Amino acid sequence: DAGVTQSPTHLIKTRGQQVTLRCSPKSGHDTVSWYQQALGQGPQFIFQYYEEEERQRGNFPDRFSGHQFPNYSSELNVNALLLGDSALYLCASSLGQAEAFFGQGTRLTVV
Amino acid sequence: QQQVKQSPQSLIVQKGGISIINCAYENTAFDYFPWYQQFPGKGPALLIAIRPDVSEKKEGRFTISFNKSAKQFSLHIMDSQPGDSATYFCAATKYNFNKFYFGSGTKLNVKP
């Protein structure tokens, strides 16, 4: 079992650009959540997808959007990148209400 | 308002000692409290978790103590080892939502 896989592992973008991050959940998991972890901080919840619908959303602007595909994989899109968007972006998957497993994250640097 | 407060920010413990990390939460609706371990460059890995129907849960060298009335819970690492050196995060959620609120993390350094 490959666990939760995220791509790419590292990414450098310029202010104002758009970025797409990808997540493949652990085999059998149907729920995907995205978190932003700034350096030296705990992860902060962005949103959660279940059955291809956004089920919950944290306190993030509309520049952050997502998608879940029929195979349960997910994408996180961020538009109009700001320097403050530089962070580790984590994907977590779960099956229903079971425990969540995290991927190793995508390190996004905005310059 | 920070939903979960964690202390200390950093901790140095000698090999074989006990590491203790504390967390406090605000929302009484929370009913699932996991602890995650994170190594540099890696995602958080679930270490141990507790539901509020018990006051303590032990798995190997790791123990969670839970005080529902005080809205506090703590992680105890017995016989701490250098390999335990990592950042530890407490979290809280309503079990059927899996929307985790994380503490700010504790960087543990176990000296050989």
Side-chain angles (χ1 to χ4, degrees):
Chain A
D1 185 358
V4 181
T5 58
Q6 292 185 241
S7 63
T9 54
H10 295 84
L11 201 54
I12 299 175
K13 288 287 188 177
T14 304
R15 271 182 304 175
Q17 284 188 316
Q18 178 264 345
V19 68
T20 298
L21 311 181
R22 295 176 176 81
C23 172
S24 292
K26 189 175 170 65
S27 178
H29 284 188
D30 58 5
T31 302
V32 172
S33 302
W34 287 92
Y35 290 81
Q36 180 194 65
Q37 186 177 20
L39 201 61
Q41 300 294 319
Q44 292 209 356
F45 179 83
I46 302 174
F47 44 54
Q48 183 182 87
Y49 278 86
Y50 172 72
E51 292 189 342
E52 302 180 51
E53 296 285 333
E54 183 182 291
R55 182 162 68 174
Q56 301 185 75
R57 189 177 182 92
N59 190 26
F60 278 80
D62 292 343
R63 296 187 298 109
F64 290 77
S65 63
H67 188 77
Q68 186 178 34
F69 298 94
N71 67 352
Y72 307 124
S73 68
S74 177
E75 288 182 349
L76 164 66
N77 300 292
V78 187
N79 294 322
L81 283 167
L82 304 174
L83 294 180
D85 295 332
S86 295
L88 180 68
Y89 288 85
L90 295 163
C91 169
S93 75
S94 59
L95 175 61
Q97 290 77 46
E99 64 188 58
F101 291 83
F102 283 82
Q104 69 176 38
T106 293
R107 172 70 64 187
L108 172 65
T109 302
V110 182
V111 298
Chain B
Q1 181 187 17
Q2 192 175 358
Q3 297 268 6
V4 179
K5 295 181 181 179
Q6 183 173 346
S7 63
Q9 189 175 5
S10 63
L11 184 60
I12 299 175
V13 173
Q14 290 296 127
K15 180 183 174 181
I18 302 174
S19 303
I20 301 175
I21 305 171
N22 301 299
C23 283
Y25 63 98
E26 294 291 327
N27 191 339
T28 55
F30 291 153
D31 58 5
Y32 179 66
F33 304 89
W35 284 90
Y36 284 86
Q37 179 189 57
Q38 187 175 30
F39 293 103
K42 302 292 185 182
L46 179 65
L47 202 58
I48 186 172
I50 197 168
R51 303 289 304 273
D53 51 343
V54 296
S55 60
E56 187 175 280
K57 183 175 181 180
K58 183 176 181 179
E59 290 184 1
R61 297 185 293 111
F62 301 93
T63 300
I64 298 179
S65 296
F66 185 81
N67 186 330
K68 188 174 181 178
S69 60
K71 294 189 291 183
Q72 295 177 346
F73 58 110
S74 60
L75 175 69
H76 295 232
I77 305 174
M78 312 300 287
D79 186 27
S80 298
Q81 300 296 313
D84 297 330
S85 297
T87 299
Y88 292 81
F89 293 96
C90 60
T93 188
K94 280 183 62 66
Y95 187 64
N96 59 346
F97 285 104
N98 271 5
K99 174 183 177 180
F100 292 100
Y101 294 89
F102 282 84
S104 54
T106 297
K107 189 170 184 179
L108 172 65
N109 186 4
V110 182
K111 297 285 192 182

